């Protein structure tokens, strides 16, 4: 039960500190839709999504009204489509099927146009990866992700090389909208199976038939709490833990209610601090409240490590099943504090990369010049993926080479995606390294059988 004090605190967090439940994501298994006939597969996929998710938006809005907490996004994730379409080679047809279902249900995004190629690629999986640009350019709501490495398998450099080309083509095909297609594409190491956040969400092969995963947020709530904290860094960590506990309790309530009303299994609560472009809803501003003059300066990685650890420790006590990515996101375009750090030349891509060694995800939603070569894009991915593999954590890259724009200009994506300053990057050629291909072996500490 929730006490009167907790209810009042929650009302204040919603009213003044931008607390929200960022997403309810309904995961739907599509394994029972597999057929060797293209039309049958597409029809089964459409029918199952419509059957399982037709009430998702209504349920989300009802729960939001009942508890008085905004639920910003309602989303669907599905089994990686490369697995579902392999038998009938129907991936091009499924692109339209998925987008049609998402449009009719009224959800924000549908994730799962995905492939798992961390150790190698079949000929079909290579064909599937090459279809991603068309999939993202021809749809409005479909998101894509590719897992190219794991700590156990090592790094598939052939897949990373290919993804540089895929990102370049996606940027070109969506050039009329600041290459926004790339904002719907994530390249992972150690991708998790229960991630509720786009663009990387898909329903893992070990999940149940339908699962509700919830992503909470609340950077503004944490910052407000820290404004009242005058102690040392131990006190700061304790303050963040206590605040994360309160935030996660809201997510636990939503997850329970949503799974019951959607007749789905209760999955996880992802307690990530996911920023928005709204003033007062910034992870960067939390780091500055801890003591930085501006994010990007020395001390940024340490403050982020403190924040990430405290968020996880506080949240895990409040929920029976914490999962997803959980921690602090640092997307450039979605965080006004990060944007200001880039604009003042204080936050560089190199510093962002260092920060990803201690945070939840990776290099997220950052824009680079449109003439960045495919090899450089692949090398950016390889560096970030290596951090994940060696440190046994999930990392990812969502890079947007904005066609026709140069460093110092801006891209506008709108909504939660915000705007992104085009970052100056090191353009020295890694072509020889990337073109070698092959696989970077798994690190020694991966052998724990």
């Amino acid at each position: 039960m929730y006490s009167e004090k907790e209810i009042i605190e929650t009302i204040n967090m919603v009213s003044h500190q931008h607390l929200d439940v960022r997403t309810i994501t309904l995961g739907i298994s599509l394994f029972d839709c597999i057929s060797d006939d293209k039309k049958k597969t597409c029809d089964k996929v459409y029918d199952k999504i419509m059957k399982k998710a037709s009430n998702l938006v209504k349920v989300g809005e009802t729960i939001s009204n009942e508890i008085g907490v905004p639920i910003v996004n309602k989303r669907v994730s599905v089994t990686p489509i490369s697995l579902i379409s392999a038998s009938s080679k129907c991936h091009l047809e499924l692109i339209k099927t998925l987008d049609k279902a998402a449009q009719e249900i009224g959800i924000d995004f549908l994730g799962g146009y995905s492939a798992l190629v961390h150790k190698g690629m079949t000929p079909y999986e290579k064909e599937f990866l090459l279809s991603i640009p068309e999939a993202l350019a021809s749809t409005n709501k479909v998101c894509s992700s590719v897992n190219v490495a794991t700590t156990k398998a090592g790094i598939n450099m052939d897949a990373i090389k290919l993804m540089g080309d895929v990102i370049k083509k996606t940027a070109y095909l969506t050039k009329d909208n600041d290459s926004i297609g790339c904002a719907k594409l994530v390249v992972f190491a150690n991708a998790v199976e229960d991630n509720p956040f786009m663009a990387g969400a898909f329903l893992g092969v070990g999940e149940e038939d339908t699962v509700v995963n919830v992503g909470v947020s609340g950077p503004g709530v944490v910052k407000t709490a820290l404004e009242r904290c005058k102690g040392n860094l131990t006190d700061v960590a304790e303050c963040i833990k206590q605040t994360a506990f309160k935030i996660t309790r809201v997510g636990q309530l939503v997850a329970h209610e949503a799974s019951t009303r959607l007749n789905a299994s209760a999955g996880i609560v992802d307690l990530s601090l996911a920023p928005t472009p709204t003033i007062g809803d910034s992870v960067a501003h939390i780091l500055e409240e801890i003591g930085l003059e501006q994010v990007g300066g020395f001390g940024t990685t340490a403050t982020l490590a403190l924040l990430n650890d405290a968020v996880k420790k506080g949240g895990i006590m409040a929920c029976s099943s914490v999962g997803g990515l959980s921690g602090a996101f640092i997307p450039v375009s979605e965080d006004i504090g990060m944007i200001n750090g880039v604009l003042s030349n204080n936050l560089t891509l190199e510093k962002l990369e260092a920060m990803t060694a201690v945070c939840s995800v990776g290099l997220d939603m950052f824009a680079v010049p449109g003439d960045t070569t495919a090899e450089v894009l692949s090398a950016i991915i390889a560096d970030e993926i290596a951090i994940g593999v060696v440190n046994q954590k999930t990392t990812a890259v969502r890079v947007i080479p904005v066609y026709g724009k140069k460093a110092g200009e801006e891209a506008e994506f709108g909504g939660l995606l915000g705007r992104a300053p085009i970052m100056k990057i090191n353009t020295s050629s890694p072509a020889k390294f990337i073109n070698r291909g092959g696989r970077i072996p798994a690190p020694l500490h991966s052998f724990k059988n």
Side-chain angles (χ1 to χ4, degrees), residues 43-80:
D43 288 346
K44 287 182 177 181
V45 167
Y46 175 80
D47 290 344
K48 185 164 189 182
I49 293 173
M50 296 301 294
K51 178 181 178 181
K52 298 294 185 179
S54 58
N55 290 326
L56 176 57
V57 173
K58 181 180 179 181
V59 165
E61 291 173 349
T62 301
I63 295 172
S64 178
N65 291 332
E66 288 177 2
I67 67 173
V69 176
I71 298 175
V72 180
N73 293 291
K74 296 85 179 174
R75 299 163 172 169
V76 167
S77 64
V78 297
T79 311

Side-chain angles (χ1 to χ4, degrees), residues 132-347:
I132 289 174
E134 179 182 343
L136 299 180
S138 63
T139 60
N140 294 314
K141 296 181 180 290
V142 174
C143 293
S144 179
S145 59
V146 180
N147 194 59
V148 297
T150 66
T151 298
K152 294 289 288 185
I155 304 173
N156 184 349
M157 289 301 296
D158 290 326
I160 288 179
K161 179 180 185 298
L162 186 59
M163 289 311 297
D165 294 323
V166 167
I167 292 169
K168 283 286 286 186
K169 186 174 181 181
T170 303
Y172 176 77
L173 291 180
T174 57
K175 65 182 186 298
D176 293 336
N177 197 9
D178 278 347
S179 300
I180 196 171
C182 298
K184 300 185 290 179
L185 173 59
V186 183
V187 183
F188 275 115
N190 294 317
V192 297
E193 296 190 326
D194 53 10
N195 173 18
F197 286 106
M198 299 297 169
F202 62 85
L203 187 70
V205 298
E207 298 285 331
E208 296 186 51
D209 193 54
T210 52
V211 183
V212 170
N213 296 317
V214 170
V216 296
S217 189
V221 180
V222 175
K223 182 179 182 297
T224 299
L226 287 175
E227 289 171 355
R228 300 190 296 268
C229 179
K230 307 302 179 184
N232 61 25
L233 292 176
T234 305
D235 299 321
V236 167
E238 188 64 27
C239 176
I240 295 169
K241 283 166 54 181
Q242 292 176 8
T243 307
F245 178 88
K246 296 171 186 176
I247 295 170
T248 308
R249 289 267 283 172
V250 175
Q252 171 82 348
L253 173 62
V254 171
H256 172 75
E257 290 297 322
S259 60
T260 300
R261 299 181 194 196
L262 291 168
N263 194 29
S265 299
I268 56 88
V269 175
D270 185 315
L271 50 102
S272 294
L273 298 180
T276 72
T278 303
I279 301 298
D281 204 25
S282 163
V283 168
H285 289 164
I286 296 175
L287 305 183
E288 291 163 6
E289 186 62 40
I290 293 173
L292 302 178
E293 180 178 2
Q294 188 176 44
V295 69
F298 289 115
T300 298
T301 305
T303 53
L304 181 60
L306 183 157
L307 172 64
N308 208 59
D309 179 68
V311 165
K312 290 183 178 182
K313 287 176 177 173
I316 203 166
M317 294 294 292
C319 181
S320 58
S321 185
V322 170
L325 300 170
S326 288
F329 284 7
I330 52 171
V332 174
S333 78
E334 299 169 8
D335 188 313
I336 188 62
M338 297 289 180
I339 292 171
N340 290 338
V342 172
L343 293 176
S344 65
N345 297 315
N346 207 34
L347 181 60

Side-chain angles (χ1 to χ4, degrees), residues 1-19:
M1 294 293 293
Y2 289 80
S3 69
E4 181 178 333
K5 180 181 178 182
E6 286 179 304
I7 293 170
I8 294 172
E9 283 183 336
T10 301
I11 292 171
N12 287 332
M13 287 190 289
V14 172
S15 300
H16 306 296
Q17 300 160 23
H18 305 291
L19 173 66

